[in-house]
Amino acid sequence: MSAQPEPALLYSEEEEALRAAVRDLLTDHCDPAGVIARTESAGPHDVSLWKSLAGSMGLAGLLVPEELGGQGATHRETAVVLEELGRAVAPVPYLTSAVVATEALLACAADDLLTELASATSVAALAVGLHVAPGGPVPHVRLEEGTLHGELTGIADAAVADVLLVPADDGGLYAVRAADVTVTPQTSLDLTRPLARITLEGAPGRRLGESGPAVRRALRAGAGLLASEQLGLADWLLTETVRYLKERKQFNRQVGGFQALKHRLAGLWLEVAGLRAAARNAADALATGEDTDVAVAVAVAVAQAYAAQVAVHAAEEALQLHGGIGMTWEHPVHLYLKRAKADSIAYGAAGTHRAALAELVDLRAP
């Protein structure tokens, strides 16, 4: 049996250049005060930022082949973009449209819709609850006399989607235009990634292919690359907390000089470093492996089994070490805490991924 190639965890020069370009754009157009103001408005999505990312920079088509108008890049480059979006808690449908929906369309070879997404003329959302893990039970709607009927809940970014990819009870995945469904906002902890209920009452749909393989592929990519978003969150929280503790003074000395706080920050740095390795491994596995490879499933499960606790811990430490300032609405720490908590159950909770990992490596609990 041939040996598995070593995963490439370091960033390439091209990936670092991509990171710099995305960070510059977000610095100019996605400041914390603007994000907070947007979460208080009727439209939490930043449409102008999305147009810059997806249209001007062409990032919506990173995973789309060049012959369909995309960039023909890999999950590694997409992971770098998600790291930066996580650092900014950017309210854009990148993960849901450019990753999850795109992967489902790639599985179905829906070339026309892929071209729409790559050209940023459409936003798509997979009509599966954000909490559903790869391989988990997927709710579906009824197909009756050629039209779709039913209700699906917890759909992330459905409010901004032009096309919804809907699983039906005949085993098919259907493309449904948003104008043909009713989208009702739902209460969401993370105000920057709103959830919605979609109701289909005789909605016309175009069958794209089998929903089972397409949804599994989409959710696996979503879970694997979500770890990079969680890495971006945790890295920003750690960096910002260190900066704050260097400036904050108490008893006429820097708060960051207290030994107990140094220990806490050093422990958090180690956790973030571990998350970076796990997230990069998942991105590299998705980029280089086949969808059916066990190694890909293992890499994704490992990343998600670890990522949630690190991101949430980083947010909790930041909140506490800022002296509870996260309770002040104008400070962005609460946005990161809410995103970290919401991400901790997105595409499967950590316990679900640990159970899946135990099955994959044949280490089940007694």
Side-chain angles (χ1 to χ4, degrees), residues 110-143:
D111 293 355
D112 58 331
L113 289 176
L114 286 168
T115 300
E116 285 187 30
L117 297 193
S119 62
T121 56
S122 293
V123 173
L126 181 65
V128 174
L130 185 62
H131 64 284
V132 177
V138 177
H140 52 259
V141 299
R142 304 185 314 279
L143 179 66

Side-chain angles (χ1 to χ4, degrees), residues 155 157-161 164 178-179 181-186 195-199:
I155 312 303
D157 295 330
V160 76
L164 294 163
V181 306
T182 301
V183 179
T184 307
Q186 292 182 286
L195 305 179
R197 175 188 302 109
I198 64 170
T199 305

Side-chain angles (χ1 to χ4, degrees), residues 8 15 24 96 108 121 141 151 164 176 178 198 218 291 302 305 311 320 344:
E15 289 164 355
D24 286 346
T96 49
C108 296
T121 56
V141 299
E151 185 177 272
L164 294 163
V176 180
I198 64 170
D291 184 57
V302 167
Q320 187 173 20
S344 69

Side-chain angles (χ1 to χ4, degrees), residues 43-104:
H45 291 99
D46 192 335
V47 178
S48 62
L49 175 61
W50 171 252
K51 288 181 178 178
S52 296
L53 286 165
S56 302
M57 297 187 70
L59 299 183
L62 278 183
L63 295 177
V64 179
E66 291 184 58
E67 58 268 24
L68 299 178
Q71 304 299 318
T74 71
H75 300 81
R76 291 174 57 91
E77 291 82 10
T78 307
V80 170
V81 175
L82 282 166
E83 281 184 42
E84 293 306 310
L85 295 177
R87 286 180 60 88
V89 201
V92 293
Y94 191 83
L95 180 64
T96 49
S97 181
V99 176
V100 176
T102 296
E103 287 282 349

Side-chain angles (χ1 to χ4, degrees), residues 226-315:
L226 176 65
S228 292
E229 177 183 290
Q230 291 164 306
L231 169 61
L233 286 170
D235 188 62
W236 184 91
L237 288 161
L238 174 60
T239 302
E240 183 64 19
T241 303
V242 170
R243 183 200 62 77
Y244 173 76
L245 293 181
K246 285 182 177 180
E247 296 178 356
R248 170 79 174 181
K249 288 188 177 181
Q250 195 171 35
F251 306 117
N252 203 30
R253 63 177 292 188
Q254 289 179 338
V255 174
F258 291 103
Q259 192 70 15
L261 298 190
K262 288 182 179 180
H263 287 169
R264 288 169 65 171
L265 291 171
L268 184 57
W269 183 90
L270 289 172
E271 291 182 25
V272 174
L275 173 53
R276 178 170 283 105
R280 293 299 295 167
N281 183 50
D284 186 70
L286 287 165
T288 58
E290 297 293 332
D291 184 57
T292 55
D293 286 353
V294 174
V296 177
V298 168
V300 170
V302 167
Q304 273 308 311
Y306 185 62
Q309 68 187 48
V310 176
V312 172
H313 184 217

